[in-house]
Amino acid sequence: MCADHDTLENLLAGNERHVESLPEDYFADVQDGQHPDVVAICCSDSRVPQERMWGVDAPGTVFTPSNIGNQVWDDDEGDRIVDGGVLYPIHHADTEAVAVVGHTGCGAVTAAYQLATGGDQPGPRGVDKWVELLVPVVEEALESDLIDADADDETVINQLVEYNVDAQARFLRESDDVPEDVAVYGFVYDFQGVYGNEHGRTYLVNVDGETRPDEIADLLPDEYETTTDSLLY
């Protein structure tokens, strides 16, 4: 084992601060089960704070599966199925909303774009699997009229991020495993100022299949009108 355990000590110290900060009754309402309001499938990028982005302080509010590329599916002997991390709270914890959360500058989308355009797999195999699952989405996007294929790579990749969020949301809405009354939302978490100058804003790009910003804005209170935007429409 490594003799230097600075990271381990930082984790233990951080948990100590966490424990000391909690009110005595912090877990009182979730001792016997959980009923999260939403399952938010996020990219596992360390720059994407899964609960903090929603201002969540209470436990049991957000169910937070994640993987590279915020993918809602998995491969089961050649078939794409909805990932169990998304389905569990819907079927077993009364969750009635899903948020698919991509983010600007996504490395998984970048790797899939490079692979789709003749580049090499990033490796190792455990990473390649998830990148390969994104390649058909990227190929479909590049063949559509929504991506500016002549733009610089940064622009193309951020457009692909949003396209991927829409593709993941569509897969959920079309799956027989997701009840029709479950709401599906798509967001892009922007910490790079791509959509605007508010770093850390989750831009709402999809509401139950609606992707046009003006139409989404009409569904929201006026105070949230600027939180919907799109690089595609």
Side-chain angles (χ1 to χ4, degrees):
M1 293 183 62
C2 178
D4 187 349
H5 295 297
D6 287 350
T7 298
L8 175 58
E9 291 183 23
N10 289 337
L11 290 171
L12 293 172
N15 181 247
E16 187 69 21
R17 294 191 299 272
H18 170 68
V19 171
E20 292 174 354
S21 72
L22 296 181
E24 185 175 344
D25 61 349
Y26 184 72
F27 292 105
D29 293 336
V30 292
Q31 286 293 305
D32 299 321
Q34 58 171 330
H35 303 286
D37 297 331
V38 61
V39 48
I41 177 74
C42 297
C43 184
S44 48
D45 192 294
S46 63
R47 299 167 293 181
V48 182
Q50 293 194 42
E51 292 184 327
R52 191 177 178 187
M53 73 170 73
W54 310 115
V56 169
D57 295 319
T61 303
V62 184
F63 199 92
T64 56
S66 63
N67 56 55
I68 58 173
N70 47 273
Q71 300 180 64
V72 303
W73 50 47
D74 199 353
D75 179 81
D76 181 46
E77 297 182 350
D79 294 326
R80 291 204 179 197
I81 60 173
V82 179
D83 185 82
V86 177
L87 288 180
Y88 182 86
I90 293 172
H91 285 266
H92 300 287
D94 301 324
T95 301
E96 297 181 347
V98 182
V100 180
V101 187
H103 69 90
T104 54
C106 179
V109 171
T110 301
Y113 172 60
Q114 292 172 343
L115 187 58
T117 53
D120 297 327
Q121 294 177 323
R125 182 62 191 147
V127 174
D128 290 343
K129 169 196 170 179
W130 290 98
V131 171
E132 289 167 1
L133 286 172
L134 281 177
V135 168
V137 176
V138 170
E139 292 175 338
E140 177 186 88
L142 293 175
E143 292 173 1
S144 75
D145 60 359
L146 298 175
I147 305 298
D148 184 2
D150 295 327
D152 60 274
D153 283 354
E154 180 180 350
T155 297
V156 171
I157 288 165
N158 282 317
Q159 289 180 327
L160 290 172
V161 165
E162 185 175 326
Y163 191 97
N164 178 49
V165 168
D166 289 338
Q168 304 293 329
R170 182 171 65 249
F171 185 81
L172 290 176
R173 296 181 67 247
E174 293 176 351
S175 172
D176 292 337
D177 290 328
V178 179
E180 291 184 2
D181 60 351
V182 170
V184 179
Y185 308 128
F187 296 89
V188 176
Y189 184 76
D190 183 4
F191 57 84
Q192 298 172 320
V194 172
Y195 284 78
N197 59 7
E198 294 183 296
H199 290 65
R201 171 74 67 190
T202 54
Y203 286 90
L204 182 60
V205 298
N206 192 308
V207 175
D208 289 329
E210 179 58 69
T211 56
R212 293 167 295 179
D214 290 345
E215 296 296 324
I216 294 175
D218 287 342
L219 303 173
L220 305 174
D222 291 344
E223 62 189 294
Y224 299 118
E225 183 178 1
T226 60
T227 66
T228 182
D229 202 348
S230 175
L231 302 181
L232 304 179
Y233 300 94

